[in-house]
Amino acid sequence: KAQAFSAQAGPTCPYPRWRGPCPSASMSASIDALAVCYAILGAIFMGSYPMAVKAPAVLEARVHPAVFQAYKSFWVFVAGWCFVLANAIRGQEVVFAFTWWGVVGAAFWVPCGICIIAAVPRLGVALDQAFNPLVSAVLNFLVGVFVVGQHVRKHGSGDSTYVVAPWYIVGVVASLVGMVAAIHACKRRAASDGVRADEELANEDSSAAVKDASRTGSGWTLLIGLVLSFCGGLFSTLQFAALSFGKRAARAAHGGACADSLSACPPTLQEQFNNTGSWMASFGI
């Protein structure tokens, strides 16, 4: 049995530390397809929700970022308990299992949301949603590999194994940097056109003062927006790190087969980290 496990966990298995049978090619393909589907849906929802911050009604009301975040937190709380209600209706063995790791994750998610909401009016939706995912993607990858201890998937077989995840990160960074540069260049061109129009309407001395004030104000606004967006990406990384680290710590504390696989853990522990169940409810609390 040990030899069979060694063969499964060896170089031919795409998961170097897979505890248990190595997944078949068809299973890996279905897992990858599902992950891509979730990633696309997550990108759509996460990329579109800041549009509400720029809505005319919100701008006119001058809603404070903390107040806007409070609305978000309320609906996360409601959604979490809807999942718990669904567990009760389905007759699940464990309907709700609270975990403090959900509260820890939410403690990072709240300042993340406030920073993003505050950054959007200063940067715009496009620039913020280009810069913030850039920071989040890089930090999530680094924290996942070097802090949480997650392993990069290896491809190939035998001595010809290789990793592609770092190259994906490089591609993402290059693409987002180009997007940010393009957006900033367009904004600078529009700003220079506006200053040029002011120069035609004012005398030379006053137009110079207007131009300097415009550049100074826009520069500070851009810098503050980028700092807020960076902080949003940092807190987002800490939020997901809390989930990964908490799950690993809870499994290690239980010991046995549970330390190697969440599916081998007791139902209560599994429910604690169920994204469509108790985890969301704990997160909302």
Side-chain angles (χ1 to χ4, degrees):
K1 184 176 180 180
Q3 291 176 351
F5 174 78
S6 300
Q8 291 169 348
T12 58
C13 182
Y15 301 95
R17 294 194 177 183
W18 186 276
R19 305 298 188 181
C22 187
S24 62
S26 60
M27 184 184 299
S28 298
S30 63
I31 292 175
D32 290 343
L34 187 60
V36 170
C37 181
Y38 281 138
I40 293 174
L41 290 175
I44 292 173
F45 294 136
M46 289 295 294
S48 59
Y49 95 85
M51 294 174 60
V53 181
K54 294 282 286 184
V58 176
L59 295 177
E60 184 179 354
R62 296 184 179 181
V63 179
H64 193 276
V67 175
F68 202 98
Q69 177 62 34
Y71 287 119
K72 290 172 54 184
S73 300
F74 170 76
W75 286 110
V76 167
F77 176 82
V78 172
W81 287 101
C82 286
F83 287 133
V84 173
L85 178 61
N87 284 346
I89 295 174
R90 292 198 304 265
Q92 294 277 49
E93 180 182 356
V94 180
V95 176
F96 174 65
F98 175 78
T99 174
W100 281 105
W101 287 108
V103 179
V104 173
F108 293 121
W109 175 70
V110 170
C112 166
I114 292 175
C115 289
I116 293 176
I117 293 167
V120 167
R122 293 169 171 82
L123 300 179
V125 176
L127 182 54
D128 175 74
Q129 290 303 296
F131 182 73
N132 179 264
L134 166 65
V135 175
S136 183
V138 174
L139 293 182
N140 270 299
F141 178 78
L142 295 177
V143 170
V145 173
F146 297 106
V147 178
V148 179
Q150 296 174 341
H151 301 282
V152 178
R153 180 174 178 175
K154 294 184 179 180
H155 301 264
S157 59
D159 296 331
S160 302
T161 58
Y162 58 93
V163 295
V164 296
W167 299 108
Y168 284 156
I169 292 296
V170 171
V172 169
V173 170
S175 300
L176 292 177
V177 167
M179 188 185 304
V180 171
I183 294 172
H184 186 52
C186 292
K187 284 189 173 183
R188 289 185 61 183
R189 178 175 297 180
S192 65
D193 291 342
V195 171
R196 197 173 294 115
D198 291 338
E199 289 177 349
E200 295 176 357
L201 297 175
N203 58 56
E204 183 176 352
D205 294 335
S206 61
S207 65
V210 170
K211 186 175 181 180
D212 292 339
S214 175
R215 285 181 175 177
T216 303
S218 62
W220 277 109
T221 300
L222 176 65
L223 178 61
I224 294 173
L226 290 175
V227 171
L228 288 169
S229 187
F230 177 87
C231 290
L234 175 62
F235 284 120
S236 175
T237 300
L238 294 175
Q239 171 198 339
F240 290 106
L243 169 60
S244 299
F245 185 80
K247 188 184 298 184
R248 178 165 302 203
R251 285 163 42 193
H254 189 275
C258 178
D260 299 324
S261 174
L262 184 63
S263 61
C265 297
T268 301
L269 196 152
Q270 292 186 40
E271 180 58 29
Q272 284 181 333
F273 295 95
N274 181 9
N275 288 325
T276 55
S278 295
W279 171 262
M280 186 61 68
S282 301
F283 189 88
I285 292 176

